[in-house]
Amino acid sequence: EMPVYAQAVQAGLALLLGVGLGIIYDAFKALRLSAGSGKARRALTAAADVLFCAVMAFALFSFGLGPGEGSLRAFMLCCAGCGWGLYALTLSPLALRFFSFVVKGV
């Protein structure tokens, strides 16, 4: 019983959420790829994956409470996945190069 325009706004914000999560994933990916080999790389990969899962869970929870007005609907998850997919198909290689450059610089 929500107006269509409100659902469209939520869908657009969910697309942006997916893009944002894709950017965060690429930042962690650049960090993981810069690590050496062996145990240090495995430990860094595990830590980055756990941190990303925590960030994603918090983002989805916050999105459900804020723009979702108390609930995270299935179409929001689908739109967030589409946003991440669009980002991965278009801007991800450029962003990964940028984040790799930043990580090497640091």
Side-chain angles (χ1 to χ4, degrees):
E1 298 173 11
M2 179 180 287
V4 175
Y5 70 88
Q7 291 178 4
V9 169
Q10 289 175 341
L13 290 172
L15 280 169
L16 291 176
L17 175 67
V19 171
L21 288 173
I23 291 170
I24 293 169
Y25 180 80
D26 278 346
F28 284 132
K29 185 176 181 179
L31 186 64
R32 287 192 319 255
L33 293 175
S34 71
S37 61
K39 289 185 180 184
R41 184 173 188 155
R42 284 182 287 197
L44 184 61
T45 298
D49 288 346
V50 167
L51 185 59
F52 176 74
C53 287
V55 167
M56 187 170 64
F58 179 75
L60 290 173
F61 178 76
S62 298
F63 190 80
L65 287 179
E69 299 176 359
S71 64
L72 187 64
R73 294 172 182 84
F75 79 90
M76 293 178 192
L77 292 175
C78 291
C79 288
C82 288
W84 191 337
L86 288 172
Y87 166 78
L89 292 172
T90 57
L91 299 174
S92 180
L94 296 173
L96 187 57
R97 257 189 261 149
F98 171 74
F99 288 129
S100 295
F101 177 75
V102 169
V103 168
K104 286 179 186 176
V106 173

